[in-house]
Amino acid sequence: MLAFDIITIFPEIFDSYLKESLIARAQKKKLIKINVHNLRKWTTDRHQTVDDRPFGGGLGMVFKIEPIHKAVKEIKKSASRRTKVILFTPRGKKFNQKMAYQFSKLNQLILVCGRYEGVDERVAKHIADLELSIGDYDLMGGELPAMVAIETVARLIPGILGKEQLLKERITKEKGFVEYPHYTRPEVFSPKKGLKWPVPKVLLSGNHKKISDWRRKHGKVVEELRSVIEK
């Protein structure tokens, strides 16, 4: 069973997300385990301080290394290659389908969610195994990227989607992912008089080979980057 351990200063952000849909069902079926940890638990002062002013000056506050080091050390089940510590940062490698597939084979993912101006760089250099970004933009914190990573990885674990065929028909040999157009009823939709938006005829033909060819032609492969797990 894969365990996701999230380190954050806003644990309640995850409350509704973890209690809905397939993620909730997967936890009940013990296919995955998700633990949300409040970073302030590993502080020592009465104010539970997790951040401080940056050396060299500048606006904003920076997460301190001490509480993160303590948290990861306590949460980490083992020092094996089956556990990875991920730090979410705009400067990280772009998260992709190939990474998600590799992560799904692990026993534990520790997800460090930064906030404010950022995280002490020594966390990236000495504690995290990998720095990840979910896109070329900046967010207020790492909580949304953590949710994205959890959902992308979790859906690759057998039993979570219900039918394994749903994954098999979409995953490439290189562990990328194929996404093609989808249509459903009605066969023809008319948003206004004289305008018709029909479903492609091939999808109504019942010819499985032609449908498969059409999907290959119109599908887009979510490209995978080189492996990062083995580095």
Side-chain angles (χ1 to χ4, degrees), residues 33-228:
K33 186 175 183 180
I34 304 177
N35 307 302
V36 184
H37 308 275
N38 191 333
L39 180 61
R40 297 189 190 280
K41 172 184 172 182
W42 287 276
T43 57
T44 55
D45 65 307
R46 66 190 181 104
H47 297 294
Q48 295 185 307
T49 307
V50 296
D51 58 348
D52 208 335
R53 292 169 296 173
F55 284 123
L59 300 175
M61 303 291 278
V62 176
F63 268 22
K64 301 167 68 175
I65 186 174
E66 292 98 335
I68 295 176
H69 178 263
K70 289 178 182 177
V72 171
K73 187 176 180 181
E74 183 175 326
I75 294 168
K76 206 169 187 179
K77 293 179 179 178
S78 69
S80 74
R81 292 166 63 87
R82 302 284 291 174
T83 294
K84 294 295 175 184
V85 180
I86 307 299
L87 173 65
F88 293 106
T89 166
R91 294 188 290 117
K93 292 179 182 292
K94 193 76 66 66
F95 181 54
N96 62 16
Q97 191 67 34
K98 180 70 174 290
M99 293 181 192
Y101 179 82
Q102 294 170 331
F103 292 161
S104 73
K105 303 301 179 183
L106 300 176
N107 296 128
Q108 183 185 31
L109 271 176
I110 300 175
L111 310 174
V112 182
C113 305
R115 275 271 161 178
Y116 309 135
E117 189 62 22
V119 178
D120 189 303
E121 185 65 14
R122 288 168 291 188
V123 173
K125 287 186 175 181
H126 304 293
I127 298 175
D129 296 303
L130 184 66
E131 297 173 80
L132 280 190
S133 167
I134 62 168
D136 296 325
Y137 43 82
D138 202 3
L139 295 169
M140 295 181 182
E143 287 77 16
L144 281 175
M147 293 182 198
V148 169
I150 289 170
E151 183 151 318
T152 309
V153 173
R155 70 187 303 279
L156 297 174
I157 296 173
I160 289 185
L161 287 186
K163 297 180 180 179
E164 288 190 38
Q165 189 61 29
L166 290 173
L167 282 178
K168 288 181 179 178
E169 70 175 13
R170 303 277 200 95
I171 294 178
T172 67
K173 291 181 180 179
E174 295 76 25
K175 304 308 176 186
F177 191 78
V178 179
E179 181 63 26
Y180 49 76
H182 303 276
Y183 294 86
T184 187
R185 282 74 180 166
E187 293 180 16
V188 178
F189 175 66
S190 299
K192 64 180 181 180
K193 188 176 181 180
L195 182 62
K196 295 182 179 181
W197 297 342
V199 172
K201 290 183 179 179
V202 65
L203 299 180
L204 308 174
S205 68
N207 188 317
H208 297 300
K209 184 180 185 306
K210 287 184 178 180
I211 292 172
S212 180
D213 291 342
W214 182 90
R215 285 174 171 170
R216 275 197 298 271
K217 180 180 178 181
H218 293 85
K220 178 183 178 182
V221 177
V222 180
E223 297 292 346
E224 66 279 354
L225 300 180
R226 63 186 177 83
S227 169
V228 294

